[in-house]
């Protein structure tokens, strides 16, 4: 990660902010001991998706760096766009450091657009780690498209896409496809892991994955000639502009692809709404959260374990499939991002409302 890039500076800001008051933090963390304990990471999605890959990549390092070297258990609670799993966490998790919610962009977006269905207040949970993650769009080679420059060939073709629902993380795709002018049939109620398998079987012909899911799974489809990567959504820089995803520098971002398709850059209310959704789905893509009321020494023990993990040479060697290339925000450094991701301006809310109702039959 280059220190002169905005990502490098953001990473330093996030980690340094998380280190504020380090001596007292270390003293508090040293009083916590998880020896002989089993810690549950609740993943409100089925195995195989980005949240599952993220959790299982972090788990052995959390076992290594949490005080007492506890056993980490990953418990998948699939269904309902992560709402049932999140509510189960709220009902059962105790503020003892033994229960952690793995939050995803689907959780963030469903919290924003279906808040009445949530029993927890997502932005009030204790942030341990916040990890932005990008997304890559790929298609079946049967569509006759070999690269992003050919994307105009998709216009008028029958495209089929699967996902959990129109108000979850897939909103980054529904708005992307709409702004690009693509004709897509949506099949809802299918999680990311099963969607990828269905794509491989030919049941869907356009799909996306977050960076870990793409690098671990979808990239194998590309190598086998079963998928063609088109573009990455990109990330927001310090000025709020869309730049190329650092993990996929050879793939154009959404703005570049929009210009290929329409001959001009995106603008207006639709693009501002798209950027707001990018904030929810990319910049606040993954996080580890502790229950409200978790004692501060326990919270600090978790945050210290994350700092040690990020500095662990073994983790750095494996981080490409988990977090590499994106800033990592430890502890309180992640709270402003989560707060911004869960707050929508009235004009953007209005655009999204008018987008969802006629296209997807959903009212927010």
């Amino acid at each position: 990660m280059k220190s002169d890039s905005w990502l490098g500076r953001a990473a330093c800001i996030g980690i340094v902010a998380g280190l504020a008051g380090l001596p007292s933090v270390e003293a508090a963390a040293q009083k916590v001991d998880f020896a002989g304990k089993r810690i549950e990471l609740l993943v409100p999605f089925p195995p195989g998706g980005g949240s599952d890959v993220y959790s299982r990549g972090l788990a052995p390092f959390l076992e290594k760096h949490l005080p007492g070297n506890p056993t980490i258990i990953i418990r998948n609670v699939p269904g309902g766009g992560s709402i049932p799993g999140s509510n189960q966490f709220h009902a059962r998790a105790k503020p003892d450091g033994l229960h952690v919610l793995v939050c995803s962009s689907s959780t963030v977006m469903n919290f924003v657009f279906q808040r009445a269905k949530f029993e927890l207040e997502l932005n009030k949970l204790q942030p341990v780690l916040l990890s932005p993650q990008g997304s890559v769009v790929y298609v079946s080679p049967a569509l006759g498209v070999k690269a992003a420059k050919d994307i105009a060939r998709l216009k008028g073709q029958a495209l089929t896409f699967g996902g959990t629902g129109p108000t979850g993380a897939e909103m980054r795709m529904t708005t992307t496809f709409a702004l690009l002018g693509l004709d897509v049939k949506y099949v809802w109620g299918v999680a990311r892991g099963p969607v990828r398998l269905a794509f491989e079987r030919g049941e869907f012909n356009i799909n996306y994955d977050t960076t870990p899911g793409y690098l671990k799974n979808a990239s194998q489809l590309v190598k086998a000639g079963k998928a063609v990567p088109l573009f990455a959504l990109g990330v927001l820089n310090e000025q709020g502009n869309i730049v190329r995803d650092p993990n996929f520098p050879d793939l154009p971002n959404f703005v570049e692809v929009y210009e290929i398709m329409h001959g001009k850059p995106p603008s207006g209310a639709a693009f501002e709404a798209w950027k707001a959704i990018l904030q929810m789905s990319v910049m606040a893509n993954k996080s580890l959260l502790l229950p409200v009321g978790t004692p501060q020494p326990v919270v600090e023990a978790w945050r210290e374990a994350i700092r040690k993990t990020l500095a662990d040479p073994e983790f750095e060697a494996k981080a490409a499939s988990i977090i590499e290339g994106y800033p990592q925000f430890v502890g309180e450094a992640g709270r402003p991002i989560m707060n911004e991701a869960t707050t929508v301006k009235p004009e953007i809310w209005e655009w999204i409302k008018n987008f969802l109702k006629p296209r997807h039959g959903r009212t927010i």
Side-chain angles (χ1 to χ4, degrees), residues 279-348:
Q279 178 78 11
M280 304 175 204
S281 62
V282 170
M283 304 310 292
N285 187 276
K286 296 286 183 292
S287 57
L288 300 181
L289 306 170
L290 289 166
V292 174
T294 301
Q296 199 59 29
V298 174
V299 173
E300 297 302 346
W302 267 95
R303 292 172 176 175
E304 181 64 11
I306 289 296
R307 295 184 192 103
K308 290 179 179 178
T309 293
L310 296 177
D312 188 323
E314 185 181 356
F315 180 78
E316 290 180 353
K318 297 181 178 181
S321 63
I322 308 169
I323 64 167
E324 185 61 30
Y326 305 110
Q328 299 301 301
F329 298 91
V330 181
E332 292 303 312
R335 197 180 295 277
I337 299 172
M338 185 64 76
N339 287 340
E340 186 172 347
T342 53
T343 304
V344 180
K345 295 178 181 178
E347 59 272 23
I348 291 175

Side-chain angles (χ1 to χ4, degrees), residues 8-251:
R9 292 196 298 274
C12 291
I13 291 169
I15 294 173
V16 170
L19 288 170
L22 184 57
S24 61
V25 165
E26 288 180 341
Q30 287 171 1
K31 298 177 182 178
V32 177
D33 187 3
F34 294 124
K37 302 291 187 180
R38 288 161 60 95
I39 293 178
E40 178 181 284
L41 268 60
L42 191 150
V43 179
F45 302 95
S51 297
D52 191 64
V53 172
Y54 176 76
S55 305
R56 295 181 190 278
L58 286 169
F61 297 95
L62 294 175
E63 290 180 333
K64 177 181 178 180
H65 293 297
L66 281 167
N69 308 116
T71 299
I72 301 291
I73 303 297
I74 308 295
R75 189 161 71 90
N76 299 87
V77 183
S82 80
I83 296 173
S86 299
N87 287 341
Q88 188 178 122
F89 178 82
H90 177 75
R92 299 182 181 180
K94 298 178 180 178
D96 54 10
L98 303 181
H99 302 85
V100 180
L101 178 65
V102 181
C103 179
S104 175
S105 52
S106 285
T107 318
V108 174
M109 299 183 76
N110 280 325
F111 177 74
V112 171
F113 299 115
Q114 302 188 65
R115 186 167 299 199
K117 296 182 179 180
F118 277 82
E119 296 170 9
L120 56 72
E121 289 291 327
L122 192 62
N123 54 334
K124 292 183 180 179
L125 299 183
Q126 290 280 17
V128 174
L129 174 65
L130 188 144
S131 303
Q133 287 183 359
S135 299
V136 177
V137 176
Y138 52 94
V139 296
S140 167
L143 294 170
V145 174
K146 297 181 179 180
K149 62 181 178 62
D150 306 321
I151 194 169
R153 294 181 184 177
L154 293 179
K155 292 194 72 172
Q157 293 208 55
L159 305 175
T160 308
F161 174 89
T164 57
T167 56
E170 278 76 11
M171 194 181 293
R172 79 188 91 174
M173 291 297 117
T174 60
T175 53
T176 292
F177 298 154
L179 267 63
L180 290 176
L182 300 179
D183 180 18
V184 182
K185 175 185 177 182
Y186 295 97
V187 178
W188 299 126
V190 192
R192 295 257 44 84
V195 163
R196 192 185 308 109
L197 294 175
F199 176 91
E200 188 173 2
R201 294 192 297 265
E203 296 168 21
F204 301 124
N205 57 13
I206 187 167
N207 195 30
Y208 86 100
D209 270 302
T210 58
T211 299
Y214 182 86
L215 292 175
K216 183 176 181 179
N217 298 303
S219 62
Q220 303 306 310
L221 298 180
V222 174
K223 290 179 182 178
K226 297 179 179 180
V228 177
L230 285 187
F231 61 95
L233 292 187
V235 294
L236 289 165
N237 67 9
E238 293 171 311
Q239 291 74 42
N241 297 321
I242 308 301
V243 296
R244 287 196 175 191
D245 190 307
N247 275 297
F248 309 102
D250 295 331
L251 290 179

